[in-house]
Amino acid sequence: MTLPAPSWIAVVGASVAVQIYGRTRGADEVRIVEGSLTARRLIALYARRGRICAAAGGNKVRAPHGHRAQVADAAVIEVGCAA
């Protein structure tokens, strides 16, 4: 099965910067793997059927870049992969 190439988007607002690599639509799981919501700085991995489909970073410059290979390879999301 051939998957379409992941997309990349960056949005910068007055008080928040969000970067997303991959496709979040259809994800059935989201895990924060670095940072926290309360700190408003985080990296989250999105998964669909146990496979990573997107990485998102909030207020962490270039953070999702470190997860590009996992998204591109649709890597299996590991059990206990949470901060």
Side-chain angles (χ1 to χ4, degrees), residues 7-67:
S7 58
W8 174 259
I9 186 169
V11 178
V12 178
S15 64
V16 67
V18 176
Q19 298 176 338
I20 301 171
Y21 181 75
R23 292 184 170 80
T24 59
R25 181 175 289 181
D28 53 22
E29 183 175 1
V30 180
R31 293 189 193 178
I32 296 174
V33 295
E34 189 177 311
S36 70
L37 288 172
T38 54
R40 295 184 59 166
R41 289 176 55 88
L42 60 90
I43 298 174
L45 296 179
Y46 289 74
R48 183 181 310 113
R49 295 186 200 125
R51 301 230 173 233
I52 298 171
C53 59
N59 289 331
K60 291 185 72 96
V61 178
R62 301 177 59 103
H65 284 274
H67 297 279

